[in-house]
Amino acid sequence: MQQSNAYIITFSIILTVVLGLLLSGTAEVLKPIQKKAEELDTKKQILGAVIAADEIDAMEPEEINTFYQNRISSKVVNIEGEEVEEQDGAQVTAETIDVGKNYKKAPEDRLYPVFIFQEEGNEDAVASYIFPVYGNGLWDNIWGYLALQTDMETIEGITFSHAGETPGLGARITSTDVQERYKEKSIYDESGELVSVVMQKGEGKDYSGDPHKVDGLSGATITADGVNRMLKSYLEHYKAYMEKNKEGSSRMASN
Amino acid sequence: MSTDTAEKEIALKESEALLSKRRKKLMTDPLVDDNPITIQVLGICSALAVTTQMQPTLVMALSVIFVMVMANLSISLLRNKIPTRVRIIVQLAVVASLVTLVNEVLQAFAYDMYKELSVFVGLIITNCIVMGRLEAFALGNKPYDSILDGFGSALGYSWIILTVAFFRELWGSGSLFGIPIFDGISSLFGSDFQLATNGLMVSPVGAFIILGLLIWVQRTKTGYVEH
């Protein structure tokens, strides 16, 4: 069957309009629900740095929201570690800051959210500090939340997420057993230098005796390098804030 | 791509039973004898990628069933209107829209699944099974038959990836749908008894092995030989 060009063009235009309306319609209807799901997911990631993954999985969405509201307070700081409440006349809150967008700016111009995990029932007692981190993996962006104990050098916990790392290889940064490896590691060395925690090349070695090294991801060295760069750079950015807020650490006390 | 079943425009009688023999065949053929994965070896990419665990595999299977049935239906309804010269683009537009719909719905109602699957749900667009059925069947057959054909092919795809996922999750992670099975078995025999998981099953290589075994078993039984 041979159709005229006019028919083909008309058909294509009608098809495009119909499909376009259908898709934009659904997107518009589902947007508020998607936004809620996304916010809940961010809260889960933040909480994931300080409480166990299976505990979070057991919680209903409302429970997560109330838990978050009761136990997490947040503030925004700049690279000097000073608290920022307004920027360009608009109020800033940690929850609304897009760390990914800020990542594109120069480190000095970025805003840095800090999430504070409070002791149960006592709003003034800090249990740990949670810092968002952001960087590049192999294919796309990676990000995460790093929780430090109040000495500002021992890692309480960490969560990672990614946009497009290879399943089974780089995407393993999201698995609990990889994230567990960071627990109790220290980001400062003996001389007080910020050395971060470095994921090693290769997998299967025991680094439990070394406070600055964790076992690597076999077949995902570039993702692991990305994680290392991300942690190092963001710890540097938060350094000023950390210095100001650290309590007498165990290492300091023993010196 | 096997287009054997393709241009068989079948002359329909006035009133055919809702599930006549011929129509049943449309649905059951792709399950074993003309299975899109094991016989036609299509859609392997997603079959390897999503099958590490049962749950995402199930979501993927349901998505493919939805996309294939709806795409087959839409193309079949439009089959006399679609200009032949742009038919591939039209098919692509319809499939892409359906896949985007699935993705949006997952993002709203199953965010965890969305995060895990989004890349692969997107890849349904390029899944040869979908385009293959549109081109080979829906363009030349009536809507109801096309629905059955799409459903059958999608089911053929689904049971294979679910079987692969069953063995990969069981042997690779020692669980099914996230429920630890190996730990449960071990605890029955006391603390000394441990079932080891096989890391190979978690990597894509594991899927190749399971799929290869499946194809072997199936072809031994059916006596199918590639020509």
Side-chain angles (χ1 to χ4, degrees), chain A residues 1-5 7-8 11-12 15 19 22-23 26-28 30-31 33-34 37-38 41 44-45 57 161 163-164 167-168, chain B residues 49 78-86 90 93-94 96-98 100-101 103-105 107-109 111-112 115 119-120 202 204:
Chain A
M1 163 167 51
Q2 190 68 35
Q3 288 102 345
S4 67
N5 285 343
Y7 177 80
I8 294 178
F11 184 90
S12 311
L15 186 80
L19 291 179
L22 180 75
L23 287 184
T26 6
E28 204 55 42
L30 292 177
K31 204 180 228 162
I33 311 174
Q34 289 171 345
E38 206 181 314
D41 188 66
K44 275 191 196 169
Q45 286 178 33
D57 286 339
S161 295
Chain B
L78 290 171
R79 70 187 186 283
N80 297 324
K81 300 270 181 299
I82 296 173
T84 1
R85 274 183 284 166
V86 293
V90 172
V94 169
S97 306
L98 287 168
T100 314
L101 274 184
N103 217 13
E104 294 273 335
V105 170
Q107 193 182 354
F109 298 106
Y111 197 81
D112 289 337
K115 275 203 305 185
V119 185
F120 301 112
V202 184

Side-chain angles (χ1 to χ4, degrees), chain A residues 81-102:
Chain A
E82 294 151 349
E83 208 170 314
V84 183
E85 278 172 351
E86 266 183 25
Q87 196 188 41
D88 307 327
Q91 212 174 352
V92 291
T93 49
E95 278 80 4
T96 52
I97 288 180
D98 187 333
V99 184
K101 263 189 199 149
N102 271 275

Side-chain angles (χ1 to χ4, degrees), chain B residues 3-10 135-136:
Chain B
T3 45
D4 296 1
T5 50
E7 291 81 22
K8 273 192 236 154
E9 172 80 60
I10 307 143
E135 183 72 6

Side-chain angles (χ1 to χ4, degrees), chain B residues 8-13 16 22:
Chain B
K8 273 192 236 154
E9 172 80 60
I10 307 143
L12 285 177
K13 277 172 248 152
E16 198 181 349
R22 183 186 64 84

Side-chain angles (χ1 to χ4, degrees), chain A residues 115 183 222:
Chain A
F115 301 95
K183 272 198 179 156
I222 299 178

Side-chain angles (χ1 to χ4, degrees), chain A residues 48 51-54 57 158-160 171-183:
Chain A
I51 52 181
D54 45 343
D57 286 339
I158 199 162
T159 51
F160 293 120
R172 283 179 57 217
I173 55 171
T174 57
S175 77
T176 337
D177 58 308
V178 172
Q179 294 169 4
E180 292 271 321
R181 295 174 190 172
Y182 282 89
K183 272 198 179 156

Side-chain angles (χ1 to χ4, degrees), chain B residues 138-211:
Chain B
L139 269 178
N141 286 284
K142 292 200 163 172
Y144 182 59
D145 289 345
S146 301
I147 291 180
L148 293 181
D149 177 80
F151 187 67
S153 293
L155 222 53
Y157 170 84
S158 301
W159 85 259
I160 295 286
I161 62 168
L162 283 169
T163 311
V164 174
F166 176 87
F167 289 114
R168 283 184 76 187
E169 192 180 347
L170 184 65
W171 289 337
S173 317
S175 60
L176 286 176
F177 284 104
I179 303 162
I181 302 285
F182 278 16
D183 286 354
I185 297 174
S186 304
S187 61
L188 292 179
F189 294 92
S191 56
D192 293 337
F193 185 79
Q194 280 277 320
L195 279 170
T197 55
N198 187 340
L200 191 68
M201 283 297 144
V202 184
S203 73
V205 184
F208 268 120
I209 294 172
I210 303 273
L211 204 55

Side-chain angles (χ1 to χ4, degrees), chain B residues 46-64:
Chain B
S46 56
L48 297 181
V50 301
T51 52
T52 41
Q53 282 168 339
M54 287 295 276
Q55 206 189 352
T57 313
L58 186 67
V59 175
M60 183 72 178
L62 292 175
S63 310
V64 171

